[in-house]
Amino acid sequence: MQDKLQQLKEKALPEIAVIKNESELTELENKYLGRKNGEMTELMKGLKELNSEEKKNTGQLLNEIKKEIEEAINKKREVLSNAGFNERVSKEKVDLSQPYLPKKESGHLHPNSIVQKKLEDLFVSMGFLVLDSVELESDYYNFEALNISDTHPAREMQDTFYIKNHGNWLMRTHTSANQVRAIEKFGAPLRMITPGRCFRNEATDARHEHTFYQLEGVVIDKNINFGHMKAVLETVARCLFGSETKVRLRPKFYPFVEPGVNGEVTCFLCGGKGCSVCKQTGWMEIFGAGMIHPNVLKYSGLDPKVYSGFAFGFGLTRLVMLKYGIDDVRLLQNGDLRFVKQF
Ligand code: FA5
């Protein structure tokens, strides 16, 4: 067996020396050292037939020869790979006369996204979840579960786009549509915001678009009161517009809260003196809010005797207008790059 090992070595080493490329080398490696049918592996099988003295000597020789062949293969592989690299480099060309290509313009966040992200950070710092939801919504979550029955006059205030021949599906008119969905999913206690796109069949003007963004919030726990709500809303207004910002809350009817309020901040354009944007009032309406109606809690599967909560819906698009002094809401989505590039 020792003779056979010596013969194998004398055969393998010269073959390795004349190999010209890496794939042939791998083939050769399998031929001699391959685990299944490699010649060396086949010889190793014969070891078990030797007596213990022979086994010791032959085993030692076998290891030495195997190591020698492995080293020769590794060395050859290194040589071949350097040669391949050198060949590639020698073929490469750098064309110094090629004209300079201008840097591609990279995009940036839309002002709406900038304000949304800032508010998401603020709410996350106060322990709120940030939730997403659907834009094509069922009549149930957009109206019914919010205490707005089929014949309720409040449906008039939020005229929307219904899906033809699918009367129960519509483009959501407000992010409040995610209130009951979220409470059903996460239960109480709950602190969440849900920003997103809303749609209304509006006669558009400087403050009203058919497609706009809102940012809804819901807080539910035991013993939540109106004072908690006011503090959160003022925190948002001051985060966006500075610590001097005044917030005005006035009663407003929304079927899904009781009591309900609408919230205004000082008009950005006239500083409160009165102008066409704020309809000469000095104030700009930016949110609706209120204590969640017991019926909505019931629809969501909660007991209104145990839990209370508040909800608010900011007109995110209006916040953007206020923050950047944009005097026409329609500019935000008309796709004019001259406008968007200013932010
Ligand atoms: C609502 O949509 C209620 N879902 C808000 C709410 C939530 C009340 C939770 C109570 C509890 P309203 O229709 O007032 O309410 O709209 C809220 C805000 O969205 C408005 O203050 C305004 O800033 C913005 N908004 C409403 N319609 C438009 C529109 N067509 N274009 C741009 N912004 C709008």
Side-chain angles (χ1 to χ4, degrees):
M1 182 161 172
Q2 299 203 1
D3 288 346
K4 282 189 185 165
L5 279 169
Q6 288 297 353
Q7 282 163 12
L8 189 137
K9 175 179 151 184
E10 278 156 26
K11 190 162 70 123
L13 293 181
E15 277 187 47
I16 295 168
V18 296
I19 284 287
K20 291 268 178 317
N21 64 53
E22 289 182 60
S23 67
E24 278 175 21
L25 185 65
T26 308
E27 249 174 59
L28 204 72
E29 188 175 25
N30 287 335
K31 179 180 157 195
Y32 287 109
L33 304 177
R35 277 201 193 171
K36 265 197 173 168
N37 301 319
E39 289 185 26
M40 183 65 94
T41 317
E42 290 301 313
L43 280 179
M44 274 165 87
K45 285 180 191 162
L47 273 182
K48 60 178 182 275
E49 277 144 33
L50 304 175
N51 66 37
S52 62
E53 186 60 22
E54 283 172 334
K55 204 183 268 177
K56 194 174 154 213
N57 293 336
T58 315
Q60 203 176 347
L61 180 69
L62 189 142
N63 281 337
E64 278 167 18
I65 292 180
K66 189 171 173 226
K67 203 167 156 215
E68 232 175 298
I69 296 177
E70 274 172 352
E71 278 173 3
I73 290 176
N74 289 342
K75 216 179 245 171
K76 186 75 183 186
R77 184 163 282 132
E78 206 181 314
V79 171
L80 290 175
S81 114
N82 283 342
F85 176 76
N86 290 338
E87 195 185 327
R88 273 201 309 282
V89 170
S90 72
K91 280 186 189 155
E92 259 176 30
K93 279 186 193 144
V94 179
D95 182 0
L96 293 175
S97 64
Q98 195 175 18
Y100 164 76
L101 297 172
K103 212 174 126 209
K104 279 218 175 96
E105 212 179 323
S106 59
H108 64 81
L109 292 178
H110 188 278
N112 208 86
S113 309
I114 297 172
V115 174
Q116 180 176 323
K117 282 182 184 298
K118 190 171 167 120
L119 285 176
E120 284 177 4
D121 284 349
L122 173 71
F123 278 105
V124 166
S125 78
M126 296 195 282
F128 283 62
L129 298 173
V130 180
L131 305 180
D132 205 358
S133 188
V134 293
E135 293 177 348
L136 176 59
E137 185 54 280
S138 67
D139 185 279
Y140 176 76
Y141 285 112
N142 197 81
F143 292 125
E144 210 57 50
L146 292 174
N147 209 25
I148 311 174
S149 64
D150 214 9
T151 51
H152 200 294
R155 289 204 179 205
E156 289 280 304
M157 288 153 54
Q158 297 190 6
D159 186 13
T160 186
F161 304 103
Y162 285 88
I163 305 304
K164 216 173 178 180
N165 303 328
H166 295 280
N168 281 331
W169 291 94
L170 48 93
M171 301 308 291
R172 67 172 175 195
T173 55
H174 51 180
T175 40
S176 300
N178 198 23
Q179 279 188 21
V180 172
R181 279 183 183 280
I183 306 169
E184 278 176 352
K185 185 160 183 195
F186 294 100
L190 176 65
R191 260 181 278 180
M192 72 90 174
I193 57 161
T194 178
R197 212 150 53 138
C198 307
F199 310 83
R200 291 188 195 177
N201 186 11
E202 297 273 15
T204 57
D205 61 27
R207 296 193 309 168
H208 295 90
E209 254 290 26
H210 49 73
T211 305
F212 58 98
Y213 285 79
Q214 287 190 339
L215 184 140
E216 188 85 8
V218 166
V219 173
I220 298 180
D221 207 336
K222 292 175 180 159
N223 304 318
I224 293 290
N225 61 44
F226 198 89
H228 294 127
M229 181 179 85
K230 188 162 179 271
V232 168
L233 296 169
E234 282 177 351
T235 305
V236 175
R238 288 181 188 147
C239 162
L240 284 177
F241 308 120
S243 55
E244 300 302 309
T245 310
K246 288 201 181 77
V247 178
R248 181 165 85 164
L249 298 181
R250 296 197 302 169
K252 182 167 178 183
F253 173 70
Y254 293 101
F256 37 98
V257 287
E258 180 58 37
V261 293
N262 97 31
E264 296 160 310
V265 290
T266 336
C267 173
F268 67 88
L269 207 63
C270 60
K273 289 194 197 88
C275 68
S276 62
V277 169
C278 62
K279 288 199 195 140
Q280 311 305 330
T281 63
W283 296 91
M284 182 115 155
E285 185 193 323
I286 56 164
F287 63 84
M291 301 305 292
I292 299 177
H293 196 288
N295 286 350
V296 176
L297 291 174
K298 277 191 215 157
Y299 271 117
S300 315
L302 295 180
D303 183 351
K305 291 199 189 88
V306 179
Y307 287 106
S308 55
F310 62 85
F312 51 87
F314 279 93
L316 191 58
T317 311
R318 294 265 174 89
L319 297 180
V320 177
M321 291 174 72
L322 275 167
K323 178 139 188 78
Y324 293 108
I326 300 164
D327 60 6
D328 194 322
V329 66
R330 291 164 294 194
L331 288 167
L332 284 158
Q333 293 194 102
N334 73 358
D336 189 337
L337 289 180
R338 289 170 305 177
F339 171 76
V340 181
K341 277 181 178 168
Q342 295 173 52
F343 301 93

